[in-house]
Amino acid sequence: MASRDLNNRSYQARSGRADPEPLDVLKSAATSLLRRVPADVWCAVMLDPATLLDTGGLHEQGFRAESMPRLFEIEHGEQIGVDNIRALARRRAASSLLSVSTGGDLAQSVYYRDILAPEGLADELRVTLKADGCTWGLLVLCRARESAPFSAKDLAAAEAASAPAAAELRRALLLKGIDDVEVPDAPGLVTARPDGRITYVSRIADYWLAQVSERHRNPGTTTHTLTAVLSHARRRTSADPVSARVRLNSGRWLTISAWTEALGGEETVIASLTPSLPAALTALVLNGYGLTPRERQIAQLVILGRGYAEIGDSLGIREQTVNDHMRKVFAKTGVDNRIELCTNLFTRHHLPVLADPPLSTDGRLMSSG
């Protein structure tokens, strides 16, 4: 097999095909579903698979801006509700209808009472975009009181849309080249009051936030990505920060971390916006190629320089089995051998450095204990 040119831009020039942007993938998935399942209000968001916090999305046809602070408080702060995104991520099914989840008693849902009812909406259909056990995005479709209710057929159509949309979104997020333009590497700072009102945004933070992949109906809207992280941090009892990894319009990745502390005798929510460290993206990159957990595990060990026999001994499997797994890894990642895997594959993705112990599938360090 001839050696492949693994540079993204070279490939695009030869093929005449550019990789789709994540927001374009979301828009395509939502548009396709809306043809079969019409909605009066809808939005589509990207999620960090580790924290399930928003990392960008389409909100031009979504909820009113006045509803969003309370929505994020329910979704990421209080994390309550039968169809909360974290509950949905744990379910086998990808689609969920609020009226079904509440047994027909919508009034029992705080989400319905505080968000849907004031908006004049009667029901909500959610579609989690899941691939290989990770949730990469969410489609939300709502119908007004005067519209026909969602049907079982609508729910089935939503279920069928999840996997292909998730696979496309994951690839768009992770397998696209990065921008070559020089940009600041300095962190940005945001502070907010306990009620969520933002009190300070540094110049660098403003620069980073302007690149978050979100589209709104109203210009100047505070990014929902930042609001989601701040909402989560305000409700945490732990002093540890909460974080979301966000892919920017430039193709770079940003980590938004937030925590609370007392400043001047007043509790303050602080957010740091920092270019993502390469090691934090390693598991995301491997997962982006659709590797199985075993294939990811073996690929990480190969990149760390382990031989096939050594890997087989450490995992309690035959060397030939390791070889079989690596053939599948090469096919999925588009390289011919382990040298290309180590030297070419990761130059597409900010040259991430693998950690030992390896990372979990959602990007967190595995415990060595």
Side-chain angles (χ1 to χ4, degrees):
M1 187 184 300
S3 177
R4 299 177 180 86
D5 180 355
L6 297 177
N7 180 276
N8 280 11
R9 289 184 175 81
S10 296
Y11 172 77
Q12 291 170 15
R14 289 188 289 106
S15 66
R17 177 179 63 83
D19 291 327
E21 291 291 337
L23 284 186
D24 293 333
V25 172
L26 270 184
K27 183 64 175 287
S28 177
T31 301
S32 177
L33 181 57
L34 287 164
R35 290 195 194 103
R36 290 167 289 167
V37 187
D40 297 301
V41 169
W42 67 271
C43 62
V45 299
M46 295 176 286
L47 301 171
D48 183 322
T51 61
L52 298 176
L53 289 168
D54 297 50
T55 60
L58 304 168
H59 300 279
E60 302 101 320
Q61 307 299 321
F63 300 110
R64 294 175 298 119
E66 306 88 82
S67 299
M68 297 308 296
R70 178 55 181 151
L71 186 152
F72 284 125
E73 185 69 15
I74 294 171
E75 202 72 51
H76 299 299
E78 299 170 1
Q79 298 185 15
I80 57 176
V82 64
D83 280 351
N84 183 275
I85 182 60
R86 288 160 183 81
L88 296 182
R90 293 191 294 268
R91 294 178 193 168
R92 183 180 299 275
S95 60
S96 180
L97 192 57
L98 186 59
S99 58
V100 173
S101 298
T102 58
D105 184 9
L106 284 165
Q108 72 170 270
S109 167
V110 64
Y111 181 85
Y112 174 78
R113 296 194 306 268
D114 290 5
I115 305 299
L116 298 185
E119 295 263 0
L121 300 171
D123 206 354
E124 181 178 275
L125 174 61
R126 290 191 168 194
V127 189
T128 48
L129 305 184
K130 298 179 181 178
D132 297 323
C134 293
T135 300
W136 298 89
L138 177 71
L139 305 181
V140 178
L141 283 66
C142 302
R143 285 188 181 169
R145 295 190 185 99
E146 60 272 17
S147 298
F150 289 109
S151 66
K153 184 178 179 181
D154 294 333
L155 199 59
E159 186 73 24
S162 172
E168 285 298 312
L169 177 59
R170 179 177 64 179
R171 290 187 65 82
L173 281 167
L174 304 177
L175 306 187
K176 185 173 174 63
I178 64 172
D179 197 281
D180 290 331
V181 179
E182 290 294 325
V183 296
D185 285 325
L189 179 69
V190 174
T191 63
R193 296 186 184 279
D195 62 5
R197 185 168 67 86
I198 293 175
T199 55
Y200 175 74
V201 179
S202 71
R203 181 178 60 83
I204 296 298
D206 191 57
Y207 170 86
W208 291 124
L209 291 171
Q211 296 189 56
V212 175
S213 299
E214 289 186 4
R215 298 175 189 166
H216 299 272
R217 63 168 76 176
N218 299 318
T221 300
T222 301
T223 63
H224 293 341
T225 297
L226 176 63
T227 305
V229 177
L230 293 174
S231 296
H232 194 4
R234 291 201 308 270
R235 286 282 180 164
R236 278 180 69 89
T237 56
S238 167
D240 296 332
V242 298
S243 300
R245 296 162 296 184
V246 181
R247 186 187 180 280
L248 303 175
N249 289 324
S250 64
R252 296 192 66 176
W253 286 81
L254 180 75
T255 297
I256 303 180
S257 300
W259 64 95
T260 60
E261 64 178 73
L263 293 180
E266 181 177 309
E267 186 179 72
T268 303
V269 187
I270 302 172
S272 171
L273 291 75
T274 309
S276 299
L277 294 175
L281 302 177
T282 300
L284 280 174
V285 169
L286 289 175
N287 194 31
Y289 287 97
L291 272 59
T292 67
R294 178 63 98 181
E295 289 165 357
R296 282 196 299 267
Q297 182 183 33
I298 292 174
Q300 286 182 338
L301 293 172
V302 166
I303 295 170
L304 286 170
R306 312 282 172 79
Y308 286 5
E310 181 184 2
I311 293 172
D313 289 341
S314 66
L315 298 180
I317 58 178
R318 295 168 48 243
E319 182 178 353
Q320 182 57 46
T321 302
V322 175
N323 189 59
D324 292 342
H325 280 302
M326 285 306 299
R327 279 204 298 269
K328 295 176 182 176
V329 170
F330 297 151
K332 290 180 179 180
T333 57
V335 301
D336 293 333
N337 52 59
R338 60 188 297 166
I339 295 176
E340 286 189 358
L341 182 71
C342 297
T343 61
N344 293 345
L345 172 62
F346 287 96
T347 62
R348 308 175 199 171
H349 311 287
H350 317 275
L351 296 172
V353 178
L354 284 169
D356 191 4
L359 296 171
S360 67
T361 58
D362 61 14
R364 293 171 295 183
L365 281 171
M366 298 276 287
S367 172
S368 58

